[in-house]
Amino acid sequence: MDDRVRQVVVLGGGSAGWLVAGLLAAEHPDLHITLIESSDVPTIGVGEGTWPSMRDTLRRIGLSEAEFIRRCQVSFKQGSRFDGWARGAAGADGDRYYHPFMLPVGHGDADLVQAWLATPGQRPFADIVSPSVQVCEAGLAPKQVQTPEFGAVANYAYHFDAGLFGQLLREHAIAKLGVHHVIDHVDAVLSHENGDIAALQTREHGDLKAELFIDCSGLTSRLIGQHFGVPLKCERDVLFNDAAMPVQVPYAQPDAPLAPVTIATAWAKGWIWDIGLPTRRGVGCVYSRAHASDDDAHAALQAYLDATGAPPERPTPRSIRFDPGYREQFWVRNCVAIGLASGFIEPLEASALALVELSATRLCDELPMTRATMDAVARRFNDDFGYRWARVIDFLKLHYALNQRDDSDYWRAHRDPATWPERLRELLPMWRLRAPARHDFGRIDEVFPSASYQYVLYGMGFRPDAQGLCAAKLQAAQACFDEAARQARRFLGGLPGHRSLIAHIHKTET
């Protein structure tokens, strides 16, 4: 008997649900895919940043990049900028660094770190190894008018309006990919005798049956959390933040510069994100309720908006609560959780949508699948994504662990090695002796490459011991620095302004 998975039910819409449904439908057109969502359950709506992987995801589901840019208030993102994280005096003493999406020129081929330590004046690491910093500082786009869709001159991702993105994905999945859309309430989860989910009992559409159910129900985690009772592995002792306060504000002037990076600005008890879209900014305060009150966060957010030129008339910020952590299992029997249902941690480094992409891609790669093979698939999936979530937490904690701020218990507590993940406690003493390397990260598809760790380490002021390099190695590294500088000059002379390229794409709508 052939017991292949032929019917899939996705519970929940939003960016996660529609990305999963779209990828499955595009890659496996023989599947019958139904997405069910309630009409009165709002999406969290603050996931407005991606990784460069989103370009390939959109290409795979058949979306036009130009249509995406026009429909979803898209701007280009070339990395992240961190202000005030090391010493708490952004601007006054140069407490600013970048985590660009471009790898260092010569990464893995030359000893860039030791050669950088030997340079006179010691410019910031990212500035000397990558052209991205100069491109971002100049407010330039990552590509030219004639660059093909999804093609890049400088590596890039996107910022976008999350609500509009979900709408576009929904329209595309239904009209172009054949996803069946049901708007209804799920009243009960029906089970087979062996414990598998048999169907979702709906109020108006009867029982929705399938061989595989995907839980994209958000923070409620209706299937993996509520039905199967899989607990959340709490990470509040490592990443303290458990609240956010987002708001959308217009620009003071419609032609204001459009930042090509996510700006993350530290404050005394948390940090503030600032994402520039063509017609407005998405700004939000992230904080720990153990260290700051809602009033503290509101005051910090308003002070930031005042300092960055936001108009005085502003909407009232929303308040979001979350338990930082991830599920102990993501795949149980014939149900897999993707998106917020699988876990949530603060939006630093935009890992949420990236984990959705990774999970959906993995699911696509595992098909075709039978129920007989599903348990083995689930074991490997749980192992791999448990590893990935742990590595995300390591990397985010690195942004805090090296701070030198002394203005609150919040930052002092982050410096305490007792709050560091075990892996980070092991690696940091090694990195005092030499740079993070590929062999520190044992999997082919690591979430963050060693270059990302280098950008954050050295941006935060961490310095490994200087080791003497032979003349040949110094010469090889210097050639990489020279090439990065040549690329920067070429990009500065040839790339258009960020806002001007976005405007051109909107004007050329056919």
Side-chain angles (χ1 to χ4, degrees), residues 213-265:
F213 293 82
I214 303 174
D215 187 354
C216 295
S217 62
L219 294 175
T220 60
S221 193
R222 179 71 184 275
L223 302 182
I224 209 77
Q226 292 184 20
H227 176 71
F228 283 112
V230 177
L232 197 74
K233 185 178 185 298
C234 184
E235 294 289 345
R236 189 180 274 105
D237 290 344
V238 177
L239 296 174
F240 311 150
N241 294 330
D242 58 2
M245 193 173 286
V247 67
Q248 297 175 359
V249 295
Y251 292 99
Q253 301 295 329
D255 61 348
L258 183 57
V261 291
T262 297
I263 300 169
T265 301

Side-chain angles (χ1 to χ4, degrees), residues 117-184:
L117 290 172
T119 57
Q122 209 172 104
R123 288 169 52 204
F125 178 74
D127 296 34
I128 201 171
V129 301
S130 169
S132 280
V133 173
Q134 292 187 55
V135 171
C136 293
E137 288 281 308
L140 300 182
K143 59 197 297 179
Q144 297 170 310
V145 169
Q146 66 271 27
T147 307
E149 287 204 340
F150 302 114
V153 175
N155 198 17
Y156 70 89
Y158 307 104
H159 292 138
F160 54 75
D161 182 299
L164 295 176
F165 185 49
Q167 292 175 28
L168 177 62
L169 289 171
R170 179 179 65 212
E171 291 175 21
H172 182 75
I174 295 169
K176 302 292 178 65
L177 300 173
V179 174
H180 181 50
H181 185 208
V182 173
I183 299 176
D184 205 343

Side-chain angles (χ1 to χ4, degrees), residues 13-21 43 47 160-163 165-167 169 353 356:
S15 299
W18 287 109
L19 270 175
V20 172
T43 59
F160 54 75
D161 182 299
F165 185 49
Q167 292 175 28
L169 289 171
L353 272 178
V356 170

Side-chain angles (χ1 to χ4, degrees), residues 439-463:
H439 58 260
D440 291 325
F441 309 96
R443 304 209 178 185
I444 295 172
D445 50 355
E446 285 284 342
V447 180
F448 294 100
S450 58
S452 292
Y453 284 81
Q454 292 179 10
Y455 283 136
V456 175
L457 280 169
Y458 308 136
M460 287 294 293
F462 185 91
R463 295 292 180 270

Side-chain angles (χ1 to χ4, degrees), residues 5-35:
V5 170
R6 289 186 169 84
Q7 297 185 89
V8 177
V9 168
V10 180
L11 175 59
S15 299
W18 287 109
L19 270 175
V20 172
L23 274 168
L24 283 172
E27 302 264 321
H28 298 278
D30 292 338
L31 285 177
H32 183 273
I33 300 168
T34 299
L35 185 145

Side-chain angles (χ1 to χ4, degrees), residues 18 60 117 338 342 353-354 359 371 456 472:
W18 287 109
R60 288 170 66 189
L117 290 172
I338 296 178
S342 67
L353 272 178
S359 299
R371 183 61 188 88
V456 175

Side-chain angles (χ1 to χ4, degrees), residues 191-468:
S191 299
H192 290 297
E193 288 185 4
N194 67 355
D196 283 5
I197 296 176
L200 303 183
Q201 185 182 83
T202 69
R203 200 164 296 174
E204 304 291 340
H205 293 78
D207 296 347
L208 298 182
K209 298 178 181 179
E211 294 86 37
L212 180 64
F213 293 82
I214 303 174
D215 187 354
C216 295
S217 62
L219 294 175
T220 60
S221 193
R222 179 71 184 275
L223 302 182
I224 209 77
Q226 292 184 20
H227 176 71
F228 283 112
V230 177
L232 197 74
K233 185 178 185 298
C234 184
E235 294 289 345
R236 189 180 274 105
D237 290 344
V238 177
L239 296 174
F240 311 150
N241 294 330
D242 58 2
M245 193 173 286
V247 67
Q248 297 175 359
V249 295
Y251 292 99
Q253 301 295 329
D255 61 348
L258 183 57
V261 291
T262 297
I263 300 169
T265 301
W267 64 287
K269 299 175 182 180
W271 63 276
I272 295 169
W273 79 75
D274 194 338
I275 288 175
L277 304 188
T279 60
R280 55 99 171 158
R281 293 158 58 199
V283 185
C285 185
V286 182
Y287 57 104
S288 158
R289 284 177 291 159
H291 297 88
S293 67
D294 291 346
D295 288 343
D296 291 336
H298 187 270
L301 179 60
Q302 297 304 322
Y304 177 85
L305 292 172
D306 289 341
T308 54
E313 295 297 322
R314 301 163 190 164
T316 301
R318 291 189 295 132
S319 185
I320 297 172
R321 302 280 188 263
F322 57 91
D323 293 321
Y326 57 94
R327 298 288 161 188
E328 292 184 1
Q329 291 176 288
F330 312 100
W331 194 321
V332 177
R333 305 203 67 83
N334 64 335
C335 175
V336 57
I338 296 178
L340 298 179
S342 67
F344 184 71
I345 47 179
E346 61 185 272
L348 191 68
E349 296 286 7
S351 58
L353 272 178
L355 285 166
V356 170
E357 292 180 87
L358 288 167
S359 299
T361 297
R362 175 63 173 273
L363 188 56
C364 287
D365 291 345
E366 293 289 359
L367 292 164
M369 182 195 316
T370 67
R371 183 61 188 88
T373 64
M374 192 179 293
D375 290 341
V377 170
R379 282 193 297 272
R380 296 194 306 160
F381 187 97
N382 287 331
D383 179 65
D384 289 347
F385 280 87
Y387 178 88
R388 283 173 164 166
W389 274 94
R391 297 296 76 75
V392 169
I393 289 165
D394 288 348
F395 186 61
L396 298 197
K397 184 65 176 185
L398 184 67
H399 295 65
Y400 296 96
L402 303 174
N403 85 84
Q404 302 153 46
R405 298 179 62 126
D406 204 33
D407 52 341
S408 73
D409 289 341
Y410 174 87
W411 292 100
R412 286 188 288 269
H414 270 303
R415 284 201 298 272
D416 182 356
T419 71
W420 300 355
E422 180 181 359
R423 187 179 173 93
L424 205 57
R425 287 199 301 268
E426 289 179 350
L427 286 169
L428 279 170
M430 298 181 194
W431 293 341
R432 283 287 179 197
L433 304 174
R434 47 88 176 166
R438 290 170 181 166
H439 58 260
D440 291 325
F441 309 96
R443 304 209 178 185
I444 295 172
D445 50 355
E446 285 284 342
V447 180
F448 294 100
S450 58
S452 292
Y453 284 81
Q454 292 179 10
Y455 283 136
V456 175
L457 280 169
Y458 308 136
M460 287 294 293
F462 185 91
R463 295 292 180 270
D465 295 341
Q467 310 288 337

